[in-house]
Amino acid sequence: MLMLQYAYIHIEAPLDPVLFSTFLRQLPEAMQQKTLRFRRWQDQNNHLFGKLLLERLLVQQFHQAEDCLLHLHSNEFGKPLLNDQIHFNISHSDQMVVCMVSDEGPVGIDVERRKDFQVEDIKTFLRPEEFEALQNDPTSEKFFDFWTKKEAILKATGLGLTLDLKKVGLHGPKGYLFPPYDEWWHFHQLDLHPGYTTTYCTREERSTAQHIPLAALSAQFSRLEST
């Protein structure tokens, strides 16, 4: 049975150092060191729990080896990969971390905390029709709907920042990658937390992602639900 599943964490304050260390020791040594190189507690948490959510989903839900994080590698554009059967993506913004894993095909997910913006400041990232639509409805909800859709496609394809955002055309629930790619993708929304916009994209028009609660992943994760 094919699956598309996700888990997320929202942490509003620094963790107790002992609890943080308990989680940190669950990562491979290289990932521990990378986590500690971040100066802000939010960035440390984002890196740490992005990897831990991935590991728990892979092992517990997709039956991968306990040491699966040691087998991650990157494509030529820097997108992390595991194997040809399992696809995953991690996104974080401010105090929110979300991880999605799929054996249905490539997936990309983007979460953004909504904030004020100036329409003119982001003109270079939008196609003319998108810029016009945003001028007519200059709300953070509209802008971050556009932004998370474009980011989700970049992450799903693995092209990342090598692709000009204007090469992504938005058509409601669908996105189109202009030639030389000539691809259609489908967008889906998640309502994770007030103040955040979350979009994931897949090849399939009909796609339902299953939320896996923290407590279902491990008893230790359930301790975070009260932070």
Side-chain angles (χ1 to χ4, degrees), residues 21-164:
S21 296
T22 298
F23 282 110
L24 184 66
R25 288 194 297 269
Q26 298 176 41
L27 290 184
E29 180 64 28
M31 291 184 181
Q32 292 185 36
Q33 295 303 317
K34 184 173 182 179
T35 297
L36 294 174
R37 284 198 290 270
F38 293 104
R39 295 188 176 184
R40 299 172 66 244
W41 67 265
Q42 295 95 332
D43 297 328
Q44 289 186 349
N45 282 350
N46 289 345
H47 184 265
L48 169 62
F49 290 108
K51 293 300 188 294
L52 289 180
L53 288 176
L54 173 62
E55 187 259 356
R56 282 295 88 198
L57 285 171
L58 288 174
V59 172
Q60 195 156 310
Q61 303 299 121
F62 290 83
H63 310 295
Q64 300 299 298
E66 289 284 347
D67 65 348
C68 57
L69 292 185
L70 292 173
H71 301 286
L72 298 183
H73 58 284
S74 299
N75 70 3
E76 59 184 307
F77 305 111
K79 179 181 180 177
L81 305 168
L82 179 61
N83 56 47
D84 293 335
Q85 290 74 45
I86 304 295
H87 304 267
F88 66 87
N89 206 212
I90 299 170
S91 183
H92 53 77
S93 177
D94 197 39
Q95 300 164 350
M96 177 72 72
V97 184
V98 58
C99 177
M100 180 168 280
V101 181
S102 171
D103 58 9
E104 299 177 356
V107 63
I109 188 166
D110 189 56
V111 59
E112 299 289 344
R113 183 168 187 173
R114 294 191 295 275
K115 55 188 176 182
D116 293 337
F117 69 98
Q118 297 296 321
V119 176
E120 291 294 333
D121 291 343
I122 46 85
K123 183 176 182 179
T124 57
F125 301 113
L126 301 174
R127 297 183 60 78
E129 65 274 16
E130 297 161 359
F131 181 68
E132 181 180 357
L134 198 58
Q135 284 183 309
N136 294 331
D137 182 16
T139 60
S140 62
E141 288 82 0
K142 186 70 171 182
F143 168 64
F144 284 102
D145 175 68
F146 281 177
W147 185 264
T148 56
K149 286 176 176 177
K150 286 177 179 276
E151 286 286 328
I153 282 188
L154 299 189
K155 298 175 77 175
T157 60
L159 295 170
L161 296 178
T162 63
L163 182 66
D164 182 353

